[in-house]
Amino acid sequence: EGRDCNDLPIFMFLHGGAWGSGFPTMYRLLSVPFLKENYRTAIVGYRTYPDANIEGQVEDVAEAVHYLRERYPGNRPIVLMAHSSGAHVALTAALNG
């Protein structure tokens, strides 16, 4: 209660879907508990197969991180969370820097 959201981490969640399906809106309710605690949240989508392979999906995640950094400047961390194939994409993006 009363926390300044500018000092808190941003929670970024990537959807699952076997790399070829899935939508961010499927996971929208995940943000509710974080929002109630004044955390910024982003339920992020990425292009799925056949529109993009893993490299394209990782690029999409990198662009989302870049957007969040510009939208919410500062040094607060971005916490990556994900489900299923989204976890693979998130980990690959994190390892690629």
Side-chain angles (χ1 to χ4, degrees):
E1 183 176 316
R3 287 188 283 191
D4 182 1
C5 63
N6 292 323
D7 295 332
L8 299 174
I10 299 168
F11 287 94
M12 179 174 152
F13 183 87
L14 300 179
H15 66 82
W19 300 275
S21 63
F23 302 96
T25 55
M26 296 168 57
Y27 299 90
R28 67 186 176 274
L29 294 178
L30 271 169
S31 64
V32 173
F34 298 107
L35 293 171
K36 286 183 178 179
E37 297 296 323
N38 288 332
Y39 288 99
R40 303 260 186 217
T41 61
I43 310 295
V44 174
Y46 53 89
R47 291 173 291 156
T48 55
Y49 183 83
D51 294 325
N53 60 17
I54 186 67
E55 288 84 11
Q57 294 168 349
V58 167
E59 288 173 11
D60 293 348
V61 172
E63 286 181 25
V65 169
H66 180 73
Y67 171 81
L68 290 172
R69 286 275 176 234
E70 285 188 345
R71 176 78 173 88
Y72 305 106
N75 292 324
R76 59 188 153 169
I78 294 177
V79 178
L80 273 175
M81 301 181 298
H83 176 248
S84 192
S85 59
H88 174 250
V89 175
L91 179 60
T92 304
L95 289 173
N96 287 337

